[in-house]
């Protein structure tokens, strides 16, 4: 088997993860060109997260495609460096990885710049070096790298980017990142990462050992409720973005906000006990939330 033969399977395995996200990545009602572009962006973002989390498909196929030697194929920083090198080929050559080759037409069609893509790589590089966040502001700075670039790319791809829309998009994307962190407290702890700000943990008398329990005690639940309210406030702050656009893009952005709100409702329904596993909203709840947003009721 040559180094390039596994590529289609690796590409599909990454793209198939879109079904498990809190929000619709590229729903059917969008124009085909938009769906293709958004899936290309998703493929990039998902793969860089999988590199950072050590969740690549077994066998080292991605490492081979990126030109990383077998003895370094488990070194996430080496892989991220190689991925960044291949990303730069999107802008000035021909990348090696099929997901980056998929991204190339999107970048060129919309004259996208490297900065938001580099931000996502930088966030995953930071994950290898920083495992705790002292303050909420520290966490927001991380979200500026790990989440906000995605919304900015979506606005650029759809030709709707303005400074005010970017500001609103940043609020939504940061909220979605915080919600994901709340859903994944136990999973993140297993990777020796805690995204709950240390100052807030002290305020609610939560120790790291409390996060390793099978179920959350009262202090952990109170902390999760506090952070969930912060995410809800950010979603509310960003929600006017939906009303600033029209047509199918409005439906897409309503889906993003609805996904965050539905996830918060699922966390609330679990009485803020996120430790047994991530509380996930059902499709009906997501549709209800989207309906509320589109009717302008919330």
């Amino acid at each position: 088997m040559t180094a390039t033969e596994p590529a289609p399977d690796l590409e599909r395995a990454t793209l198939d993860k879109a079904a498990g996200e809190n929000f619709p990545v590229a729903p059917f009602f969008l124009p085909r060109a938009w769906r293709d572009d958004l899936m290309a962006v998703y493929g990039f973002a998902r793969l860089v997260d999988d590199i950072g989390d050590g969740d690549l498909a077994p066998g080292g196929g991605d490492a081979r495609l990126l030109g990383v030697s077998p003895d370094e194929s488990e070194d996430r920083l080496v892989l991220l460096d190689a991925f960044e090198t291949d990303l730069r080929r999107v802008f000035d050559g021909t990348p090696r990885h099929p997901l980056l080759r998929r991204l190339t037409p999107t970048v060129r069609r919309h004259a996208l710049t490297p900065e938001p893509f580099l931000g996502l790589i930088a966030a995953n590089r930071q994950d290898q070096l920083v495992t705790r966040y002292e303050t909420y502001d520290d966490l927001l700075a991380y979200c500026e790298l790990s989440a906000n670039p995605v919304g900015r790319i979506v606005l650029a791809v759809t030709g709707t980017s303005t400074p005010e829309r970017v500001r609103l998009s940043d609020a939504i994307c940061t909220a979605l990142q915080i919600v994901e962190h709340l859903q994944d407290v136990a999973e993140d702890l297993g990777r020796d990462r805690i995204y709950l700000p240390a100052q807030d943990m002290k305020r609610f008398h939560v120790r790291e050992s409390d996060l390793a329990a099978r179920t959350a005690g009262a202090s952990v639940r109170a902390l999760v409720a506090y952070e969930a309210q912060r995410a809800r406030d950010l979603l509310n702050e960003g929600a006017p973005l939906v009303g600033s656009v029209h047509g199918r893009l409005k439906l897409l952005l309503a889906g993003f906000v609805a996904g965050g709100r539905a996830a918060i409702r699922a966390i609330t329904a679990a009485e803020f006990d996120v430790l047994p596993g991530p509380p996930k909203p059902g499709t009906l709840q997501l549709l209800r939330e989207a309906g509320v947003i589109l009717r302008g009721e919330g």
Side-chain angles (χ1 to χ4, degrees):
M1 179 178 290
T2 67
T4 57
E5 283 177 359
D9 288 340
L10 292 172
E11 183 179 8
R12 177 48 49 198
T14 299
L15 295 175
D16 284 348
K17 294 181 181 181
E21 302 292 346
N22 279 330
F23 48 84
V25 173
F28 69 92
F29 56 75
L30 292 180
R32 176 62 183 269
W34 280 12
R35 294 203 310 272
D36 289 346
D37 287 335
L38 292 175
M39 282 305 295
V41 172
Y42 174 79
F44 168 87
R46 183 69 267 165
L47 182 59
V48 73
D49 279 353
D50 285 349
I51 293 172
D53 290 341
D55 287 340
L56 292 176
D62 291 292
R64 288 195 299 275
L65 286 165
L66 294 172
V68 175
S69 64
D71 60 330
E72 293 185 303
S73 63
E74 300 296 323
D75 189 322
R76 298 179 194 177
L77 288 173
V78 169
L79 286 167
L80 288 168
D81 287 347
F83 193 60
E84 179 176 330
T85 296
D86 209 30
L87 169 69
R88 294 185 185 277
R89 294 189 188 104
V90 171
F91 297 88
D92 60 16
T94 302
R96 295 175 174 177
H97 200 287
L99 286 168
L100 291 179
R101 290 199 295 270
R102 175 187 282 262
L103 181 65
T104 300
T106 296
V107 164
R108 294 176 181 171
R109 186 159 45 244
H110 302 286
L112 303 181
T113 63
E115 284 72 23
F117 299 99
L118 292 171
L120 294 172
I121 294 174
N124 279 275
R125 196 175 278 124
Q126 183 168 314
D127 276 336
Q128 313 312 310
L129 306 171
V130 180
T131 60
R132 306 291 189 275
Y133 290 86
E134 181 63 26
T135 69
Y136 182 62
D137 285 343
D138 292 337
L139 184 64
L140 293 182
Y142 169 75
C143 293
E144 176 70 18
L145 296 173
S146 68
N148 297 358
V150 175
R152 296 181 185 191
I153 294 170
V154 170
L155 292 176
V157 163
T158 57
T160 55
S161 183
T162 67
E164 176 61 9
R165 284 179 178 144
V166 167
R167 185 187 71 81
L168 297 173
S169 171
D170 285 354
I172 293 170
C173 290
T174 292
L176 293 175
Q177 180 75 88
I178 291 172
V179 170
E180 184 177 333
H181 288 328
L182 294 179
Q183 290 175 308
D184 294 342
V185 167
E187 180 181 333
D188 289 334
L189 186 65
R191 294 187 169 114
D192 191 31
R193 297 177 192 166
I194 296 177
Y195 294 101
L196 299 166
Q199 282 189 355
D200 297 342
M201 291 177 64
K202 293 173 185 174
R203 174 181 175 183
F204 286 91
H205 308 289
V206 172
R207 299 166 298 178
E208 289 193 12
S209 59
D210 296 330
L211 304 180
R214 291 187 177 182
T215 60
S219 295
V220 171
R221 292 174 192 246
L223 172 59
V224 171
Y226 178 73
E227 305 299 350
Q229 183 60 51
R230 278 177 155 169
R232 187 181 291 109
D233 291 343
L234 283 169
L235 284 173
N236 291 341
E237 179 184 337
L241 177 65
V242 178
S244 77
V245 299
H246 303 283
R248 298 179 187 183
L249 179 58
K250 186 170 187 172
L251 293 176
L252 177 68
L253 298 182
F256 290 162
V257 177
R261 288 183 174 174
I264 292 172
R265 284 192 183 275
I267 292 170
T268 303
E271 298 180 335
F272 305 104
D273 185 3
V274 296
L275 299 187
K280 293 283 188 178
T283 301
L284 183 59
Q285 185 62 57
L286 179 66
L287 292 173
R288 285 173 177 165
E289 294 290 346
V292 169
I293 294 162
L294 290 169
R295 290 193 299 271
E297 299 171 5

